[in-house]
Amino acid sequence: MDYYHDRRVVQHAASQPWVRGFRLDEIDYKNETYQWIYDKMHNSISIHNGVKISKYHIVKIYQVKNSFLWSKYTARRSEIARDFPRGQLAPEIRLFHGTCHADVIVRNGFNVKYSNELSMFGKGIYFSDVSSKCNQYTFEAGGSGACKLHGNVHCTLCKRKMLVCKVTLGRNFRANMPMNGILRPPHGCHSVVAYPAQSFLKYPEYVIYNNYQAFPSYMIEYKISI
């Protein structure tokens, strides 16, 4: 799929109404956006370490309304757009971010200082279009963590949280090998993107290095079935 020209992405990308301050608005399950997120999650499930999720049981979906983060995001997006021909929009994409810190991020935004520069693509903020990839990071930072209550990586009883974020990729650098240790994208680029390749990467990864280059549009509370 050409994500930059996905009409559904464009439609929902324009759906963030202005609000002063911070608020989480629960989305009704009959709402078109709810169904769009439900489909986006279920259509991007893969096998991880021999285990495949059979279903996401969504508890609630919230639209995030945060005027401070939104203004910071749009300012960064405009800054990136200046590196493109006049009138051309900076490429954006809707991506998943799995984290045990979802509640903090929707209030205060992303913070790259908590990233590990020894990660595959350096000290950045990581996203994927594969929901089950991000699901692995919902119990513990760094992935492969178990729930605190049952000590189970594949726990079907504990609630998890995942974000759907609007990410301005801008001009991306296509990585074909690890880039451990970098603190910013290569010169002239705004992000690093890597696609699956034999003996390199199993699932796509999208990495930014600026706190305000992504906006957490939706927060999903859910459980899984295996």
Side-chain angles (χ1 to χ4, degrees), residues 120-140:
M120 184 172 285
F121 303 107
K123 196 174 180 66
I125 303 164
Y126 289 67
F127 302 85
S128 181
D129 49 16
V130 178
S131 62
S132 53
K133 166 71 175 176
C134 295
N135 176 72
Q136 297 179 100
Y137 297 85
T138 52
F139 284 145
E140 183 180 286

Side-chain angles (χ1 to χ4, degrees), residues 24-226:
L24 292 177
D25 285 353
E26 184 177 350
I27 300 174
D28 187 88
Y29 75 96
K30 296 179 182 178
N31 188 285
E32 180 186 1
T33 299
Y34 188 105
Q35 189 61 51
W36 171 75
I37 292 173
Y38 181 94
D39 292 342
K40 186 175 179 67
M41 291 183 73
H42 282 88
N43 292 337
S44 60
I45 297 175
S46 294
I47 298 174
H48 302 272
N49 301 317
V51 177
K52 185 175 182 179
I53 295 170
S54 63
K55 184 177 178 62
Y56 294 111
H57 300 277
I58 295 177
V59 179
K60 291 181 180 180
I61 299 178
Y62 297 96
Q63 182 178 16
V64 180
K65 297 182 179 179
N66 188 319
S67 58
F68 172 78
L69 294 182
W70 183 246
S71 64
K72 290 290 187 180
Y73 174 75
T74 54
R76 174 61 179 160
R77 183 178 60 185
S78 297
E79 181 182 14
I80 291 174
R82 289 197 287 270
D83 290 339
F84 288 82
R86 184 168 182 158
Q88 182 177 337
L89 299 177
E92 294 179 286
I93 186 172
R94 291 281 195 183
L95 295 169
F96 295 109
H97 182 79
T99 173
C100 57
H101 302 298
D103 291 305
V104 175
I105 291 172
V106 296
R107 283 186 174 274
N108 303 323
F110 293 96
N111 195 331
V112 73
K113 79 175 185 179
Y114 294 113
S115 301
N116 187 344
E117 65 183 80
L118 298 180
S119 298
M120 184 172 285
F121 303 107
K123 196 174 180 66
I125 303 164
Y126 289 67
F127 302 85
S128 181
D129 49 16
V130 178
S131 62
S132 53
K133 166 71 175 176
C134 295
N135 176 72
Q136 297 179 100
Y137 297 85
T138 52
F139 284 145
E140 183 180 286
S144 71
C147 68
K148 293 181 180 179
L149 186 59
H150 306 100
N152 184 359
V153 173
H154 306 297
C155 184
T156 60
L157 300 175
C158 288
K159 188 168 62 178
R160 304 162 185 254
K161 293 183 180 180
M162 189 184 299
L163 302 175
V164 177
C165 304
K166 183 189 285 191
V167 184
T168 296
L169 293 178
R171 186 173 292 112
N172 62 75
F173 179 85
R174 300 296 181 94
N176 55 18
M177 64 180 66
M179 302 173 68
N180 314 82
I182 68 170
L183 303 178
R184 58 188 62 84
H187 180 71
C189 296
H190 309 103
S191 61
V192 169
V193 175
Y195 295 108
Q198 189 173 7
S199 71
F200 168 51
L201 200 64
K202 290 185 177 180
Y203 308 102
E205 296 206 26
Y206 304 79
V207 190
I208 59 173
Y209 303 81
N210 181 293
N211 292 336
Y212 300 118
Q213 209 167 307
F215 181 82
S217 303
Y218 303 100
M219 182 170 70
I220 309 155
E221 294 182 357
Y222 67 101
K223 296 180 181 180
I224 66 168
S225 287
I226 301 296

